[in-house]
Amino acid sequence: MKRLSTDLTLKDAKITRRMFLKGVGAVTVTSSLGMAGALNFNPQISNASDDTTVKYIHSCCTVNCTSRCRLKGHVQNGKIVAVTPGLLPGRDDYANACLRSMSLAQRLQDPKQRVLYPMKRVGERGEGKFERITWDEAYDIITAKLNETKEKYGAQAASFFTMSGNLAKLAWESTTRLGACFGGTTYITEGIMGDHGASMGMRLVFGQERGGHDTRDYMNSKLIIMWGRNLADTHTSELRYLIKARENGAKVIVIDPRQSSTTAVADQWISIRPQTDPALALGMINYLISNNLHDTAWLKAYSCAPLLVRNDNGQYLRLGDKYAVWDENSKVIVPADTPNINPSLTGEYTSAEGIKCHPSFVNLVNEASKYTIKATAEICGLEEAVVEQLAHEYATMKPAAIRMGQGMQRVYNSFAPFRTVATLAGVAGYIGVSGGGASHMGGTSSINPIPGVTVPDFNFKEWTDTGGKPLIEKKSSHIYDMAANGEIQFLWIGVSNFINQSPDANRVINKVLPKIPFIVHVDPFWTWTGKYADLILPGKTYWEVWDILVRSPWVMLDQPAIPNMGESKSDCEIASEVAKRLGFGQLWNKTDEEWVRTFMTSQHPAFASFNWDKFVEDGIFTRSDGIFDPVYSFKDQKYNTPTRKFEFYTEKLAEFGEQVPTYKRMLEDPKGELAKKYPLVCINYHDRLNVHTQHILYPALRIVQSEPLVQINPVDAKARGIAHDDKVKVLNDRGFCVVKAFVTEGIAPGVTALANGWTPDYYIGGNHQTLTHLTLNPVEEAISQTNSAFSDVLVEIKKA
């Protein structure tokens, strides 16, 4: 396999910033220029002399990478021959299409890659032996199995599971809606996806699961920290603004155990040990407070810092139904909303009832005080000077912004990194400040509320009608145990390659799926999960269906751009036919196009100019109340937490000793007993090739990489006699994978990394998901649900 700068890497085991930039640039430019050729598109064909032979159909990329790009399909003779960026009205600067989206047309039009007909298993599960059947046969089998399940075990024994393979309205929700109409069980899937830690952490402090700054707002930042965030590969539409902010004078720091592509545009890379992010944030908080660099005015006005906490039980002190503070002016305990007071952040006080209490800020100060510069550096595997410099620059280069990424949360205690880093931003007074913030994803609401308007934006009334059946929604973290306990007798999997994207694949294959009598899998492509299904149904991609994706302030349209591939159907079409046979077809009595038309029949004034024909022609509708300037969250300092303040102290977590942000070592601790056998931490990351398993492996992307690799530091490689490109086995007690070694100083010693998404077909042996685990976390279960700890994994690596 060819790689850029390989000889230089091997020569001195170092990749310089110049080399890294050169390599990334070469890959990006070459791949982009080569995409039209890869799709067999000759640009000269679409010149003015032959315009009539090419149609342009717009679509929206609905895979789960957060960019949600508008795409322009070049269609000729019934085939998509090229894909280019589509403009977003009001944002001429934002047209974007990545390598993945531009090359998707190769795979979706390749009949060898597609499931073309309904297929019934004839061999053992996992053998991949299927026979073609008709749609009527498929529907009859499903109907019979569902009715049998309902009769013997109750409707709830039928499970309907979706992940994030297609986030368009009909595609994403059809399976769940069908399950609800039937009375079956559905799932909150963020947990098993490994994406729920951020939601939990942000909700604890902000009272909402999202809240961030438009990346363009970083033009107002003096310092930008990309903390576990790799914009260059995973949020390509945003990278341009990070580059512009740096050109504008902002310093960019990347904190990541791995030298991601984003470090190519950064001033500094801090190679932190995995899962020590909370310790680094606590160390920075301690530095700010110890050096009187914290924003006491912000903390008093907008955070829970002055709210009094009882010494006896860790709960907030109440005066009636109000929270309480100690007023330095009157020297008494008063309701927190009393006007013209000066609440204290320190001390211990006694209420009129004799209850001893103290400001919650005291708890944070005490916890953070454990993390001196020396202690923090030792935990995080960093030099003391690096920790001190980072803390000082963050406090003094005002305003400073933090963008957090998914990599921070795929650990045990996954809520802690986001909660702690956001608390750091609060202590510094950067929340609700332009150029500041602690963001998960870019941006926030981009709609101007219209006073007095109460009508809904979209007409989803019929779609939300499930015939009076309640939504039975379970935690996805419980799905393995539910199967083992016999609670799942029928499983429908939609928009999800479940085995490849769920932890501990061997457990799934050998212990979970065998307990489920019948499995239906709907997907456009042949997948690892499909091999273990009893019935595979051919789904469609976003270039083949009528659907919408709401990306405020735009509504983007998916519409058929090519003729049907085989006998494939949309998720909604399939669900509709099953619903008819189950006796509630009246709830599914529209075609996909009719559903989309219904959704857009809004009485909201922002939709007054909507025209269906123009919507189809343009593939996009722009609301009249849209905001197109940079926006950011919490400018009004309003939070939906129980205290209605920025809340770093969570009283319901006092029983776990987690009332304020804390740092806990990894579940699979590299300094623990297990490390004697498996001494290397194995993290899982997203690269530029795949959005989960969505894009493996188009010929046009082979220029970037053609197989999975394990990244390993030269120190660890030398100790094991491993050279660059050696075939190696990555293993632990759960499983293994065999890949080639990529020896690089671009990863911290003691850490290895495997890219997410690669299926067994591309490994020399095994798969990365056989190394991972699902271990329930009591604290996370109390908050919401356990988040899959894909990067809390210990392994050993040996030459194969």
Side-chain angles (χ1 to χ4, degrees):
M1 190 187 83
K2 294 181 180 179
R3 287 186 200 80
L4 298 166
S5 305
T6 297
D7 292 337
L8 290 171
T9 304
L10 293 173
K11 186 176 181 181
D12 60 0
K14 290 184 178 180
I15 300 178
T16 67
R17 185 173 186 276
R18 184 165 175 257
M19 290 159 54
F20 192 82
L21 278 165
K22 181 180 178 182
V24 171
V27 168
T28 303
V29 173
T30 304
S31 298
S32 298
L33 292 178
M35 197 58 61
L39 293 176
N40 299 314
F41 176 58
N42 182 354
Q44 295 180 350
I45 291 177
S46 57
N47 286 341
S49 60
D50 202 22
D51 274 348
T52 56
T53 64
V54 177
K55 293 191 304 180
Y56 299 104
I57 297 179
H58 285 91
S59 186
C60 171
C61 186
T62 57
V63 301
N64 188 17
C65 81
T66 71
S67 286
R68 315 285 192 268
C69 298
R70 184 185 182 215
L71 304 176
K72 183 178 182 179
H74 302 238
V75 182
Q76 187 175 49
N77 297 324
K79 288 186 175 292
I80 301 171
V81 294
V83 175
T84 54
L87 293 175
L88 289 174
R91 288 288 305 277
D92 290 342
D93 62 320
Y94 205 48
N96 189 74
C98 70
L99 302 177
R100 298 177 289 257
S101 64
M102 288 191 288
S103 65
L104 176 63
Q106 282 187 316
R107 194 178 189 205
L108 76 88
Q109 296 176 124
D110 182 354
K112 294 180 181 179
Q113 298 284 336
R114 295 293 298 267
V115 180
L116 298 175
Y117 310 100
M119 306 296 289
K120 178 183 176 182
R121 177 173 61 84
V122 293
E124 295 296 320
R125 281 184 177 173
E127 277 191 288
K129 293 182 179 179
F130 294 85
E131 66 177 5
R132 176 180 172 181
I133 61 174
T134 67
W135 272 109
D136 282 335
E137 288 176 299
Y139 294 141
D140 289 343
I141 292 171
I142 293 171
T143 304
K145 292 293 182 182
L146 281 170
N147 285 330
E148 179 185 353
T149 299
K150 184 176 182 179
E151 183 178 337
K152 290 183 176 180
Y153 306 98
Q156 74 281 354
S159 282
F160 296 79
F161 182 91
T162 60
M163 208 174 274
S164 59
N166 188 335
L167 297 180
K169 179 76 175 177
L170 294 174
W172 198 22
E173 297 180 7
S174 288
T175 301
T176 299
R177 182 172 185 256
L178 178 65
C181 291
F182 181 72
T185 299
T186 63
Y187 296 88
I188 306 169
T189 55
E190 253 197 353
I192 206 165
M193 290 168 61
D195 285 357
H196 200 52
S199 297
M200 290 188 287
M202 300 291 257
R203 184 168 287 282
L204 288 174
V205 294
F206 293 137
Q208 62 188 55
E209 294 180 357
R210 301 289 182 267
H213 285 232
D214 189 310
T215 312
R216 292 174 296 167
D217 183 54
Y218 295 159
M219 294 295 291
N220 301 312
S221 305
K222 296 294 190 295
L223 174 68
I224 305 167
I225 300 176
M226 291 285 126
W227 205 319
R229 188 71 172 178
N230 180 15
L231 282 184
D233 290 337
T234 64
H235 204 168
T236 59
S237 58
E238 301 293 306
L239 182 65
R240 67 198 73 181
Y241 305 117
L242 182 65
I243 294 172
K244 287 180 180 178
R246 187 170 181 273
E247 291 171 347
N248 194 47
K251 180 176 181 179
V252 177
I253 297 175
V254 172
I255 301 176
D256 199 310
R258 191 181 69 89
Q259 189 183 28
S260 71
S261 299
T262 304
T263 60
V265 297
D267 298 280
Q268 184 179 9
W269 168 47
I270 298 177
S271 56
I272 190 172
R273 285 178 179 150
Q275 201 165 318
T276 62
D277 308 274
L280 180 56
L282 285 165
M284 294 171 70
I285 290 171
N286 186 39
Y287 180 90
L288 265 65
I289 296 171
S290 299
N291 291 278
N292 200 30
L293 294 171
H294 58 305
D295 192 331
T296 55
W298 187 93
L299 288 164
K300 288 182 179 184
Y302 305 122
S303 85
C304 68
L307 300 186
L308 296 176
V309 174
R310 297 171 56 133
N311 291 3
D312 57 355
N313 61 12
Q315 304 301 294
Y316 283 115
L317 179 71
R318 266 87 166 178
L319 298 176
D321 60 352
K322 294 187 176 182
Y323 295 94
V325 298
W326 174 265
D327 177 26
E328 290 286 4
N329 295 335
S330 60
K331 303 298 181 183
V332 295
I333 295 175
V334 299
D337 60 357
T338 303
N340 303 317
I341 57 173
N342 180 24
S344 175
L345 298 180
T346 61
E348 181 173 283
Y349 311 98
T350 304
S351 72
E353 294 77 22
I355 301 171
K356 292 187 179 299
C357 54
H358 59 273
S360 68
F361 191 61
V362 172
N363 292 75
L364 181 62
V365 171
N366 291 342
E367 184 64 30
S369 67
K370 303 173 186 177
Y371 299 89
T372 62
I373 295 295
K374 181 178 181 180
T376 303
E378 184 177 345
I379 292 169
C380 300
L382 304 172
E383 295 179 7
E384 291 180 30
V386 171
V387 176
E388 186 168 7
Q389 162 253 323
L390 176 66
H392 182 76
E393 289 185 350
Y394 182 68
T396 58
M397 296 178 70
K398 296 180 177 291
I402 297 175
R403 174 67 65 82
M404 296 178 278
Q406 307 291 67
M408 291 173 62
Q409 69 181 346
R410 293 195 166 111
V411 295
Y412 201 71
N413 298 310
S414 64
F415 66 95
F418 277 76
R419 182 192 189 197
T420 313
V421 172
T423 298
L424 166 64
V427 170
Y430 292 145
I431 304 297
V433 174
S434 179
S439 305
H440 175 201
M441 298 179 181
T444 180
S445 176
S446 51
I447 296 298
N448 270 315
I450 301 175
V453 175
T454 58
V455 297
D457 297 17
F458 297 89
N459 183 7
F460 294 149
K461 185 177 180 180
E462 285 184 84
W463 183 249
T464 56
D465 181 8
T466 57
K469 297 285 182 64
L471 181 64
I472 303 172
E473 201 170 34
K474 300 287 187 179
K475 300 176 181 181
S476 59
S477 59
H478 293 182
I479 193 168
Y480 292 7
D481 290 338
M482 289 174 62
N485 296 334
E487 297 176 54
I488 303 175
Q489 295 295 313
F490 174 101
L491 178 62
W492 181 307
I493 301 173
V495 295
S496 169
N497 188 351
F498 181 80
I499 299 176
N500 209 83
Q501 294 310 117
S502 299
D504 199 346
N506 281 332
R507 181 181 174 188
V508 174
I509 290 169
N510 298 319
K511 296 182 178 180
V512 176
L513 298 185
K515 294 288 186 177
I516 303 173
F518 195 80
I519 300 171
V520 176
H521 180 52
V522 182
D523 203 282
F525 304 104
W526 293 101
T527 69
W528 191 9
T529 302
K531 289 183 178 181
Y532 290 84
D534 300 289
L535 201 60
I536 302 177
L537 305 181
K540 290 184 177 181
T541 70
Y542 58 78
W543 283 109
E544 304 167 90
V545 296
W546 289 98
D547 213 333
I548 60 168
L549 189 138
V550 180
R551 188 191 175 189
S552 174
W554 303 283
V555 184
M556 288 187 271
L557 177 69
D558 288 335
Q559 56 185 303
I562 61 173
N564 215 42
M565 293 292 293
E567 295 180 1
S568 59
K569 295 180 182 293
S570 73
D571 293 85
C572 186
E573 288 172 327
I574 296 169
S576 298
E577 289 298 325
V578 172
K580 291 176 185 176
R581 287 161 172 79
L582 289 171
F584 47 86
Q586 75 281 3
L587 302 174
W588 294 79
N589 59 357
K590 289 180 171 58
T591 65
D592 292 6
E593 181 182 351
E594 288 169 344
W595 278 118
V596 172
R597 283 178 179 267
T598 302
F599 297 158
M600 300 302 293
T601 56
S602 172
Q603 301 302 311
H604 195 283
F607 288 73
S609 65
F610 177 78
N611 177 274
W612 174 260
D613 292 336
K614 184 169 177 55
F615 185 43
V616 172
E617 180 181 354
D618 295 344
I620 193 168
F621 171 72
T622 307
R623 296 173 56 136
S624 62
D625 56 356
I627 302 173
F628 302 99
D629 295 325
V631 290
Y632 59 91
S633 298
F634 312 117
K635 188 176 183 179
D636 58 4
Q637 296 295 342
K638 292 181 179 179
Y639 305 92
N640 196 32
T641 59
T643 62
R644 294 298 185 262
K645 302 280 189 178
F646 177 90
E647 193 172 308
F648 58 75
Y649 188 99
T650 306
E651 60 182 357
K652 72 177 182 179
L653 296 183
E655 64 176 296
F656 300 101
E658 299 263 10
Q659 56 268 46
V660 294
T662 60
Y663 160 68
K664 289 184 177 180
R665 298 193 63 82
M666 295 178 67
L667 180 68
E668 298 199 350
D669 190 349
K671 290 190 176 182
E673 193 66 24
L674 184 63
K676 294 177 182 178
K677 188 176 182 181
Y678 302 114
L680 299 174
V681 178
C682 185
I683 64 174
N684 192 239
Y685 67 95
H686 290 293
D687 64 13
R688 68 181 59 196
L689 286 174
N690 313 314
V691 179
H692 307 298
T693 64
Q694 292 273 37
H695 307 86
I696 297 176
L697 184 66
Y698 312 146
L701 295 180
R702 290 182 182 274
I703 189 173
V704 182
Q705 190 171 317
S706 61
E707 61 184 321
L709 305 168
V710 61
Q711 295 182 355
I712 183 170
N713 187 275
V715 173
D716 299 317
K718 184 177 180 180
R720 291 161 176 78
I722 295 171
H724 190 76
D725 251 359
D726 275 354
K727 188 188 300 183
V728 297
K729 186 175 186 179
V730 186
L731 70 152
N732 60 21
D733 286 340
R734 289 180 292 271
F736 74 93
C737 64
V738 180
V739 292
K740 289 181 181 177
F742 190 94
V743 181
T744 173
E745 283 194 347
I747 193 162
V751 183
T752 63
L754 287 161
N756 176 280
W758 293 92
T759 61
D761 314 65
Y762 300 97
Y763 280 86
I764 300 170
N767 181 266
H768 69 281
Q769 285 292 23
T770 67
L771 301 165
T772 57
H773 61 90
L774 176 61
T775 306
L776 297 187
N777 183 319
V779 183
E780 293 184 351
E781 289 293 319
I783 298 171
S784 177
Q785 68 167 314
T786 295
N787 187 67
S788 292
F790 293 122
S791 293
D792 195 322
V793 172
L794 288 181
V795 301
E796 179 56 288
I797 299 182
K798 301 177 180 179
K799 289 187 70 171

Short mmCIF file of all heavy atoms in Angstrom, two decimals, residues 269-292:
data_model
loop_
_atom_site.label_atom_id
_atom_site.label_comp_id
_atom_site.label_asym_id
_atom_site.label_seq_id
_atom_site.Cartn_x
_atom_site.Cartn_y
_atom_site.Cartn_z
N TRP A 269 0.26 20.67 19.37
CA TRP A 269 -0.42 19.41 19.61
C TRP A 269 -0.03 18.93 21.00
O TRP A 269 1.15 18.76 21.29
CB TRP A 269 -0.06 18.38 18.55
CG TRP A 269 -0.48 16.97 18.88
CD1 TRP A 269 -1.70 16.57 19.34
CD2 TRP A 269 0.31 15.79 18.77
NE1 TRP A 269 -1.72 15.21 19.52
CE2 TRP A 269 -0.50 14.70 19.19
CE3 TRP A 269 1.61 15.54 18.36
CZ2 TRP A 269 -0.03 13.38 19.20
CZ3 TRP A 269 2.08 14.22 18.37
CH2 TRP A 269 1.27 13.16 18.79
N ILE A 270 -1.02 18.70 21.86
CA ILE A 270 -0.79 18.19 23.20
C ILE A 270 -1.28 16.76 23.24
O ILE A 270 -2.48 16.49 23.18
CB ILE A 270 -1.51 19.06 24.25
CG1 ILE A 270 -0.95 20.49 24.22
CG2 ILE A 270 -1.37 18.46 25.64
CD1 ILE A 270 -1.63 21.45 25.18
N SER A 271 -0.33 15.82 23.33
CA SER A 271 -0.68 14.39 23.22
C SER A 271 -1.03 13.82 24.59
O SER A 271 -0.22 13.15 25.24
CB SER A 271 0.49 13.62 22.59
OG SER A 271 1.68 13.82 23.35
N ILE A 272 -2.22 14.07 25.02
CA ILE A 272 -2.71 13.66 26.33
C ILE A 272 -2.97 12.15 26.36
O ILE A 272 -3.29 11.54 25.33
CB ILE A 272 -4.01 14.43 26.66
CG1 ILE A 272 -4.44 14.24 28.10
CG2 ILE A 272 -5.12 14.06 25.68
CD1 ILE A 272 -5.61 15.14 28.50
N ARG A 273 -2.85 11.54 27.54
CA ARG A 273 -3.23 10.14 27.68
C ARG A 273 -4.75 10.01 27.60
O ARG A 273 -5.48 10.88 28.09
CB ARG A 273 -2.75 9.60 29.03
CG ARG A 273 -1.26 9.32 29.11
CD ARG A 273 -0.87 8.84 30.48
NE ARG A 273 0.55 8.55 30.56
CZ ARG A 273 1.29 8.66 31.65
NH1 ARG A 273 0.72 9.07 32.79
NH2 ARG A 273 2.57 8.37 31.62
N PRO A 274 -5.24 8.94 27.01
CA PRO A 274 -6.70 8.75 26.91
C PRO A 274 -7.38 8.78 28.28
O PRO A 274 -6.84 8.30 29.27
CB PRO A 274 -6.83 7.36 26.26
CG PRO A 274 -5.56 7.17 25.52
CD PRO A 274 -4.49 7.84 26.35
N GLN A 275 -8.55 9.35 28.32
CA GLN A 275 -9.45 9.42 29.46
C GLN A 275 -8.92 10.25 30.62
O GLN A 275 -9.48 10.25 31.71
CB GLN A 275 -9.84 8.01 29.96
CG GLN A 275 -11.13 8.02 30.78
CD GLN A 275 -11.74 6.65 30.97
OE1 GLN A 275 -11.77 5.87 30.03
NE2 GLN A 275 -12.22 6.35 32.16
N THR A 276 -7.85 11.00 30.41
CA THR A 276 -7.36 11.89 31.47
C THR A 276 -7.79 13.34 31.24
O THR A 276 -7.34 14.24 31.94
CB THR A 276 -5.82 11.83 31.57
OG1 THR A 276 -5.23 12.28 30.35
CG2 THR A 276 -5.35 10.41 31.86
N ASP A 277 -8.68 13.56 30.29
CA ASP A 277 -9.15 14.92 29.99
C ASP A 277 -9.74 15.62 31.21
O ASP A 277 -9.46 16.80 31.44
CB ASP A 277 -10.18 14.88 28.85
CG ASP A 277 -9.67 14.13 27.64
OD1 ASP A 277 -9.00 14.74 26.80
OD2 ASP A 277 -9.93 12.91 27.55
N PRO A 278 -10.57 14.93 32.04
CA PRO A 278 -11.09 15.61 33.23
C PRO A 278 -9.98 16.05 34.18
O PRO A 278 -10.08 17.12 34.81
CB PRO A 278 -11.99 14.55 33.87
CG PRO A 278 -12.38 13.64 32.76
CD PRO A 278 -11.17 13.59 31.88
N ALA A 279 -8.92 15.26 34.29
CA ALA A 279 -7.81 15.63 35.17
C ALA A 279 -7.13 16.90 34.66
O ALA A 279 -6.79 17.80 35.45
CB ALA A 279 -6.81 14.48 35.26
N LEU A 280 -6.92 16.99 33.35
CA LEU A 280 -6.31 18.19 32.78
C LEU A 280 -7.20 19.41 33.01
O LEU A 280 -6.70 20.48 33.40
CB LEU A 280 -6.05 17.99 31.29
CG LEU A 280 -5.40 19.18 30.56
CD1 LEU A 280 -4.09 19.58 31.20
CD2 LEU A 280 -5.20 18.84 29.08
N ALA A 281 -8.49 19.26 32.80
CA ALA A 281 -9.41 20.38 33.01
C ALA A 281 -9.44 20.79 34.48
O ALA A 281 -9.45 21.99 34.80
CB ALA A 281 -10.80 20.01 32.54
N LEU A 282 -9.44 19.83 35.39
CA LEU A 282 -9.42 20.15 36.83
C LEU A 282 -8.11 20.83 37.21
O LEU A 282 -8.09 21.76 38.04
CB LEU A 282 -9.62 18.89 37.65
CG LEU A 282 -11.05 18.35 37.68
CD1 LEU A 282 -11.09 16.92 38.21
CD2 LEU A 282 -11.95 19.24 38.54
N GLY A 283 -7.00 20.39 36.61
CA GLY A 283 -5.73 21.05 36.86
C GLY A 283 -5.73 22.49 36.39
O GLY A 283 -5.18 23.38 37.04
N MET A 284 -6.37 22.73 35.25
CA MET A 284 -6.47 24.10 34.74
C MET A 284 -7.39 24.95 35.62
O MET A 284 -7.11 26.12 35.88
CB MET A 284 -6.98 24.07 33.30
CG MET A 284 -5.99 23.43 32.33
SD MET A 284 -6.68 23.14 30.67
CE MET A 284 -6.81 24.83 30.06
N ILE A 285 -8.48 24.34 36.12
CA ILE A 285 -9.36 25.05 37.04
C ILE A 285 -8.60 25.43 38.30
O ILE A 285 -8.70 26.57 38.81
CB ILE A 285 -10.58 24.17 37.39
CG1 ILE A 285 -11.51 24.03 36.19
CG2 ILE A 285 -11.35 24.76 38.58
CD1 ILE A 285 -12.62 23.01 36.37
N ASN A 286 -7.82 24.50 38.83
CA ASN A 286 -7.03 24.77 40.03
C ASN A 286 -6.05 25.90 39.79
O ASN A 286 -5.86 26.79 40.65
CB ASN A 286 -6.28 23.51 40.47
CG ASN A 286 -5.55 23.69 41.78
OD1 ASN A 286 -6.06 24.32 42.70
ND2 ASN A 286 -4.36 23.13 41.87
N TYR A 287 -5.43 25.92 38.62
CA TYR A 287 -4.48 26.98 38.29
C TYR A 287 -5.19 28.33 38.26
O TYR A 287 -4.68 29.33 38.80
CB TYR A 287 -3.82 26.70 36.94
CG TYR A 287 -2.83 27.76 36.51
CD1 TYR A 287 -1.49 27.66 36.87
CD2 TYR A 287 -3.23 28.85 35.74
CE1 TYR A 287 -0.56 28.63 36.49
CE2 TYR A 287 -2.32 29.82 35.35
CZ TYR A 287 -0.99 29.71 35.72
OH TYR A 287 -0.09 30.68 35.34
N LEU A 288 -6.35 28.38 37.61
CA LEU A 288 -7.10 29.64 37.53
C LEU A 288 -7.46 30.16 38.91
O LEU A 288 -7.26 31.34 39.23
CB LEU A 288 -8.37 29.44 36.69
CG LEU A 288 -8.30 29.79 35.21
CD1 LEU A 288 -7.33 28.87 34.48
CD2 LEU A 288 -9.68 29.68 34.57
N ILE A 289 -7.99 29.28 39.75
CA ILE A 289 -8.43 29.71 41.07
C ILE A 289 -7.25 30.10 41.95
O ILE A 289 -7.27 31.12 42.64
CB ILE A 289 -9.27 28.60 41.74
CG1 ILE A 289 -10.56 28.37 40.94
CG2 ILE A 289 -9.60 28.96 43.18
CD1 ILE A 289 -11.35 27.16 41.38
N SER A 290 -6.19 29.28 41.91
CA SER A 290 -5.01 29.54 42.75
C SER A 290 -4.34 30.86 42.38
O SER A 290 -3.71 31.50 43.23
CB SER A 290 -4.00 28.40 42.60
OG SER A 290 -4.56 27.17 43.01
N ASN A 291 -4.43 31.25 41.13
CA ASN A 291 -3.80 32.48 40.67
C ASN A 291 -4.79 33.63 40.50
O ASN A 291 -4.48 34.64 39.85
CB ASN A 291 -3.06 32.22 39.36
CG ASN A 291 -1.84 31.33 39.54
OD1 ASN A 291 -0.77 31.80 39.93
ND2 ASN A 291 -2.01 30.04 39.28
N ASN A 292 -5.97 33.45 41.08
CA ASN A 292 -7.02 34.48 41.04
C ASN A 292 -7.34 34.93 39.62
O ASN A 292 -7.58 36.10 39.34
CB ASN A 292 -6.61 35.69 41.90
CG ASN A 292 -7.81 36.55 42.28
OD1 ASN A 292 -8.93 36.05 42.43
ND2 ASN A 292 -7.59 37.84 42.40
#
